[in-house]
């Protein structure tokens, strides 16, 4: 980034909008996800190297910004108008808050002289955003814009990442500034903004626990990606420690490594990739949790992790450490603290790990082979309508370590986490696992593509989730964001229908849809649309889409009876479906 140019721009700013654009540019912002408002900001942006990525709906825009931050490693920016537009940001900011994604939302507010007069679309935005952000403020003086922008970026990127909201009255953007801005150089747009290592005495305790363990296990969460700690985790794994991940942690290690367990949690049922290794978790005597919220899905409703194990919990957020499992507390940045752990373990007696390694690697290798064998015998890969497992097999065969894989919520996230393979430490599989809102897959893909335009981006979504965001196909085409989207078209809300059958023995009629040709919708938007009804045709369509410079939607007619290996579905007398 040319900080000199940013300083020159700041010194010449004359209006609040120009000052705001200059401040954002100083923090490395080159894209803002927004529609038309704040218009003054978007009109000023190009003079400061900022382009607008114009979404169709604010909820999709917030999701785009979320994925952009996760993939780029920089704080993202989304903007919206006051009133109903602002309210549509709430769900996306809620996902970012729970998923620890650093974002700044800039929301235009009514003019200061109109506050509390029932102005058009006036709303108490301070109260609106309190529950879905780390920080929310209103800047009422153009002279203070730099101060508030710096505070917003600091809040978003420090400690546990999350969204910060800056409210800007429309007349502040029009204000003429009395003189040049005070020159500032600080770039607060990367995260983690400040790194701190855990207490050295507790790191030493953790070294002793891990070195002395008979059956240690590491379970890495999304915090490993947020901290950019994958290389440090790989070094720890190389010392002989098996590593499992949560769904958000997927890609933190190379899943082809002989000590990689895979994703553990609530989809370790029949056909689950890690189902044969459940005992590796339940029998562990020391478990190191890294950037792991120990949430319901990741712990299989808190039934997976053993009661009698010793826990070490490493997290930047002190309130997460020991939340559900009493643990040795390692409060600090994952990368720095793992590096400290590695140094301690390198000097420790790891003979127990060396002696156990061959047997452990054999156990993991046999479990992988057993899963592949079971899958081949349990699932008809040539069945019509198509089984999602067949699509995942074909997709896994063509993915490269450079491919960014994005999934919608619900079944799509499970198909991706369970059936695809991370081929290097640091691979990105972006899934909405904070609030897990349906419809975020396609905008996640667009945000990921904006962050890494050179990388192929694949999105898996169901027809239920895709229907939330059909309009964003036009966004993708207009903004030059070519992504490949596969729609699992089973004409039902799969998770909802199947879970209702499990829980209630029946399902509500809104779980079923009428037939829709999503490929035709894509073509109507000027994108490539391919309809697949024979599973033998999918791989060629996939390769065509990944090689294309156009947005491609592959609409695959899939078996509505197919469901992922969710443990709560196992042996349900109410789910009278083939696996």
């Amino acid at each position: 980034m040319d900080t000199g140019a940013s300083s020159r721009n700041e010194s010449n700013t004359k209006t609040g909008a120009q000052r705001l654009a200059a401040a954002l540019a100083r923090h490395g912002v080159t894209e803002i996800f927004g529609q038309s408002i704040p218009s003054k900001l978007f009109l000023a942006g190009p003079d400061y190297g900022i382009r607008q990525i114009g979404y169709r709906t604010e909820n999709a825009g917030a999701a785009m910004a979320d994925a952009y931050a996760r993939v780029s490693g920089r704080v993202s920016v989304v903007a919206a108008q006051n009133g109903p537009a602002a309210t549509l940001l709430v769900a996306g900011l809620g996902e970012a808050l729970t998923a620890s994604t650093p974002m700044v939302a800039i929301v235009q507010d009514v003019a200061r002289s109109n506050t509390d007069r029932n102005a058009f679309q006036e709303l108490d935005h301070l109260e609106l955003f309190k529950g879905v952000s780390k920080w929310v403020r209103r800047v009422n003086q153009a002279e203070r814009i730099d101060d508030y922008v710096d505070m917003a970026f600091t809040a978003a990127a420090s400690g546990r990442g999350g969204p910060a909201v800056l409210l800007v009255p429309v007349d502040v953007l029009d204000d003429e500034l009395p003189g040049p801005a005070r020159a500032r150089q600080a770039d607060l747009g990367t995260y983690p903004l400040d790194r701190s290592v855990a207490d050295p005495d507790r790191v030493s305790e953790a070294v002793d626990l891990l070195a002395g363990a008979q059956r240690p296990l590491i379970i890495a969460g999304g915090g490993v990606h947020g901290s950019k700690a994958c290389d440090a985790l790989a070094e720890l794994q190389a010392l002989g420690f098996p590593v499992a991940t949560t769904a958000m942690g997927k890609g933190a290690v190379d899943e082809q490594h002989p000590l990689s367990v895979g994703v553990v949690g609530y989809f370790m049922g029949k056909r689950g990739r890690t189902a044969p290794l459940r005992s590796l978790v339940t029998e562990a005597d020391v478990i190191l949790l890294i950037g792991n919220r120990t949430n319901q899905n990741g712990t299989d409703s808190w039934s997976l992790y053993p009661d009698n194990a010793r826990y070490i919990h490493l997290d930047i957020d002190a309130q997460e450490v020991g939340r559900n499992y009493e643990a040795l507390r390692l409060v600090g940045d994952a990368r720095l603290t793992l590096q400290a752990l590695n140094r301690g373990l390198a000097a420790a007696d790891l003979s127990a790990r060396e002696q156990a390694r061959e047997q452990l690697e054999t156990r993991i290798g046999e479990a992988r082979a057993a899963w592949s064998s079971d899958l081949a015998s349990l699932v008809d890969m040539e069945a019509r309508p198509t089984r999602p497992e067949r699509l995942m097999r074909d997709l896994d065969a063509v993915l490269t370590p450079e491919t960014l894989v994005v999934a919608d919520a619900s079944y799509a996230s499970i198909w991706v986490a369970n059936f695809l393979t991370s081929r290097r430490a640091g691979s990105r599989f972006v899934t909405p696992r904070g609030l897990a809102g349906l419809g975020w897959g396609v905008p996640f893909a667009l945000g990921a593509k904006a962050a890494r335009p050179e990388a192929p981006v694949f999105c898996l979504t169901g027809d239920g989730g895709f229907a939330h965001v059909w309009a964003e196909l036009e966004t993708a085409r207009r903004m030059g964001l070519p992504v490949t989207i596969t729609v699992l078209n089973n004409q039902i809300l799969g998770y909802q229908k199947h879970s209702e059958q499990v829980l209630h023995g029946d399902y509500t009629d809104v779980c079923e849809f009428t037939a829709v040709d999503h490929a035709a919708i894509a073509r109507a938007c000027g994108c490539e649309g391919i309809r697949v009804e024979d599973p033998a045709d999918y791989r060629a369509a996939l390769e065509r889409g990944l090689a294309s410079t156009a947005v491609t939607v592959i609409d695959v007619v899939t078996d509505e009876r197919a469901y992922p290996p969710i443990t709560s579905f196992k042996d349900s007398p109410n789910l009278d479906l083939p696996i």
Side-chain angles (χ1 to χ4, degrees):
M1 174 183 162
D2 184 354
T3 54
S6 293
S7 297
R8 288 192 297 276
N9 284 338
E10 285 189 58
S11 66
N12 295 326
T13 54
K14 297 179 180 179
T15 67
Q18 292 172 314
R19 183 67 58 84
L20 179 56
L24 295 173
R26 174 165 53 85
H27 296 305
V29 175
T30 54
E31 286 89 11
I32 300 176
F33 296 89
Q35 204 173 70
S36 58
I37 294 175
S39 302
K40 292 285 188 180
L41 173 60
F42 290 125
L43 289 169
D47 291 335
Y48 299 87
I50 298 173
R51 76 161 177 154
Q52 176 186 2
I53 298 180
Y55 53 68
R56 296 295 292 261
T57 61
E58 286 76 15
N59 52 354
M64 292 176 198
D66 183 324
Y68 182 96
R70 296 192 204 189
V71 170
S72 70
R74 298 197 66 88
V75 179
S76 60
V77 178
V78 63
Q81 186 181 359
N82 52 292
T87 67
L88 289 173
L89 290 179
V90 168
L93 296 185
E95 166 71 22
L97 182 68
T98 50
S100 307
T101 305
M103 296 164 50
V104 171
I106 296 173
V107 178
Q108 180 173 292
D109 212 342
V110 300
R112 288 164 291 183
S113 60
N114 292 339
T115 300
D116 295 328
R117 299 182 67 187
N118 290 330
F120 180 62
Q121 296 185 336
E122 183 180 12
L123 193 65
D124 188 343
H125 297 101
L126 290 168
E127 287 296 322
L128 174 70
F129 291 116
K130 275 184 180 179
V132 293
S133 65
K134 292 179 64 179
W135 179 96
V136 54
R137 298 287 192 279
R138 178 186 287 111
V139 55
N140 285 317
Q141 296 173 289
E143 295 89 342
R144 298 291 310 280
I145 283 175
D146 280 289
D147 296 336
Y148 278 86
V149 169
D150 286 8
M151 284 189 279
F153 274 77
T154 300
S158 60
R160 178 176 177 171
V165 181
L166 180 60
L167 308 176
V168 186
V170 62
D171 55 327
V172 169
L173 296 172
D174 289 324
D175 274 359
E176 294 286 337
L177 291 158
R182 177 171 57 87
R184 302 189 186 206
Q185 301 295 327
D187 176 354
L188 306 174
T190 58
Y191 69 92
L193 184 56
D194 304 300
R195 295 182 184 269
S196 60
V197 69
D199 184 332
D201 290 339
R202 288 180 173 168
V203 171
S204 295
E205 288 183 57
V207 166
D208 292 342
L209 272 177
L210 289 167
Q214 296 300 307
R215 299 174 303 281
L217 179 66
I218 299 163
I219 306 179
V224 174
H225 287 297
S227 175
K228 305 172 184 65
C230 297
D231 289 345
L233 180 58
E235 291 177 17
L236 180 57
Q237 185 178 45
L239 295 174
F241 293 91
V243 179
T245 74
T246 65
M248 280 195 67
K250 185 177 178 69
V253 290
D254 179 352
E255 290 179 332
Q256 301 171 114
H257 190 286
L259 288 176
S260 288
V261 178
V263 179
V264 298
Y266 73 115
F267 44 86
M268 298 174 76
K270 202 168 187 178
R271 290 169 297 121
R273 192 171 195 156
T274 55
L277 291 171
R278 189 179 182 94
S279 60
L280 202 63
V281 183
T282 60
E283 295 172 1
D285 61 343
V286 175
I287 296 180
L288 170 59
L289 305 169
I290 310 171
N292 180 340
R293 293 179 295 151
T294 62
N295 64 6
Q296 183 172 9
N297 288 346
T299 61
D300 198 6
S301 295
W302 306 285
S303 69
L304 177 61
Y305 295 5
D307 293 332
N308 56 353
R310 291 290 305 276
Y311 289 88
I312 306 164
H313 199 161
L314 165 55
D315 203 283
I316 193 64
D317 185 348
Q319 291 186 314
E320 288 297 338
V321 174
R323 179 192 286 267
N324 292 311
Y325 299 89
E326 186 173 306
L328 172 62
R329 299 174 60 82
L330 297 181
V331 179
D333 173 69
R335 189 174 78 186
L336 289 187
T337 303
L338 279 176
Q339 289 171 345
L341 266 177
N342 290 339
R343 288 192 295 270
L345 287 165
D349 179 6
L350 295 181
S351 56
R353 298 275 49 76
E354 294 169 7
Q355 294 167 11
R357 183 163 186 160
E358 182 177 355
Q359 183 178 2
L360 182 58
E361 289 182 354
T362 298
R363 181 179 176 184
I364 292 173
E366 289 176 348
R368 291 176 184 171
W371 173 74
S372 296
S373 177
D374 286 348
L375 193 63
S377 64
L378 293 171
V379 179
D380 180 1
M381 295 293 187
E382 306 304 320
R384 297 178 65 175
T386 302
R387 293 283 304 199
E389 295 94 337
R390 166 62 186 265
L391 305 181
M392 295 299 95
R393 187 191 73 179
D394 289 351
L395 176 60
D396 202 41
V398 303
L399 290 180
T400 69
E402 292 71 39
T403 307
L404 298 174
V405 178
V406 171
D408 212 323
S410 194
Y411 279 177
S413 287
I414 308 176
W415 294 124
V416 162
N418 189 76
F419 289 93
L420 299 184
T421 306
S422 165
R423 289 179 166 79
R424 72 174 178 195
S427 294
R428 285 318 308 259
F429 295 81
V430 183
T431 56
R433 307 311 298 165
L435 288 184
L438 202 61
W440 289 340
V442 170
F444 265 18
L446 303 189
K449 187 67 176 180
R452 292 264 307 277
E454 78 286 356
V457 176
F458 173 87
C459 171
L460 184 72
T461 182
D463 51 344
F466 188 57
H468 284 243
V469 286
W470 288 336
E472 301 304 336
L473 291 179
E474 186 276 332
T475 300
R477 181 186 176 203
R478 170 169 39 88
M479 299 307 306
L481 299 171
V483 297
T484 301
I485 302 162
T486 289
V487 180
L488 302 177
N489 188 352
N490 58 9
Q491 295 181 205
I492 62 169
L493 278 174
Y495 209 154
Q496 189 65 30
K497 180 176 180 177
H498 295 156
S499 62
E500 286 183 8
Q501 287 178 281
V502 169
L503 294 171
H504 311 297
D506 200 357
Y507 59 89
T508 54
D509 57 8
V510 294
C511 291
E512 297 186 334
F513 304 135
T514 56
V516 174
D517 185 341
H518 303 93
I521 292 173
R523 291 192 293 271
C525 293
C527 304
E528 293 287 334
I530 306 170
R531 177 87 165 183
V532 172
E533 298 183 4
D534 185 337
D537 297 334
Y538 177 67
R539 180 161 175 172
L542 176 64
E543 291 174 340
R544 173 180 160 188
L546 290 172
S548 176
T549 57
V551 180
T552 303
V553 174
I554 308 171
D555 186 34
V556 186
V557 178
T558 56
D559 187 352
E560 72 153 89
R561 303 169 300 170
Y563 58 91
I566 297 168
T567 54
S568 62
F569 287 5
K570 183 181 179 183
D571 301 325
S572 170
N574 295 331
L575 195 63
D576 185 22
L577 298 174
I579 59 171

